[in-house]
Amino acid sequence: MAEIHVEVVAADRSIWSGEAAMVIARTLSGDIGIMPSHEPVLGVLQSGPVTVRTTEGGTVVVAVHGGFLSFADNKLSILAEIAELAEEIDVARAERALERSRSAADAAAERRAEVRLAAAAGAH
């Protein structure tokens, strides 16, 4: 089976690394799916969940806020400003953050909270 090597890195730490059959991410140009032998691409990431379909048949979901992705030679690098694995997300805390951001009319914070909750829901 063909595979791509994926590295997901945040500004403060490495988030996930491994082999994947497919990765789906949201860029400024829209959602993109990367599979083995995809054309080289460089894209600016929007806040959103990144879904990695591993070669073992599993799924890894990462909440990503800003950054970019780069794909060439079956290697995908996702360099995010902020990122966290779905299983690391405290859902109750994210829900509280969403409510606070809505009451404060903070659209950026609201989007971050929504992405965290979407990533956490996608991992279950």
Side-chain angles (χ1 to χ4, degrees), residues 51-63:
T51 304
V52 179
R53 306 272 188 233
T54 67
T55 53
E56 294 86 33
T59 301
V60 175
V61 181
V62 182

Side-chain angles (χ1 to χ4, degrees), residues 3-83:
E3 57 189 37
I4 58 179
H5 181 73
V6 180
E7 295 277 341
V8 181
V9 179
D12 60 343
R13 65 187 177 114
S14 177
I15 304 297
W16 188 85
S17 176
E19 307 308 312
M22 181 176 177
V23 176
I24 302 167
R26 179 162 293 151
T27 70
L28 292 179
S29 301
D31 288 353
I32 186 169
I34 305 285
M35 295 176 68
S37 301
H38 192 286
E39 290 292 318
V41 65
L42 178 64
V44 177
L45 292 169
Q46 278 194 332
S47 289
V50 171
T51 304
V52 179
R53 306 272 188 233
T54 67
T55 53
E56 294 86 33
T59 301
V60 175
V61 181
V62 182
V64 172
H65 309 283
F68 67 94
L69 65 79
S70 173
F71 180 78
D73 300 322
N74 284 329
K75 293 179 184 158
L76 176 65
S77 297
I78 295 178
L79 306 168
E81 293 172 24
I82 302 169

Side-chain angles (χ1 to χ4, degrees), residues 57-117:
T59 301
V60 175
V61 181
V62 182
V64 172
H65 309 283
F68 67 94
L69 65 79
S70 173
F71 180 78
D73 300 322
N74 284 329
K75 293 179 184 158
L76 176 65
S77 297
I78 295 178
L79 306 168
E81 293 172 24
I82 302 169
E84 59 190 320
L85 288 168
E87 60 259 16
E88 296 175 347
I89 295 171
D90 180 335
V91 174
R93 182 173 168 226
E95 288 171 342
R96 288 191 305 273
L98 179 59
E99 289 306 313
R100 279 192 311 273
S101 66
R102 285 182 177 156
S103 64
D106 185 342
E110 184 175 341
R111 178 68 184 147
R112 283 191 304 273
E114 288 172 343
V115 167
R116 293 177 75 225
L117 289 169

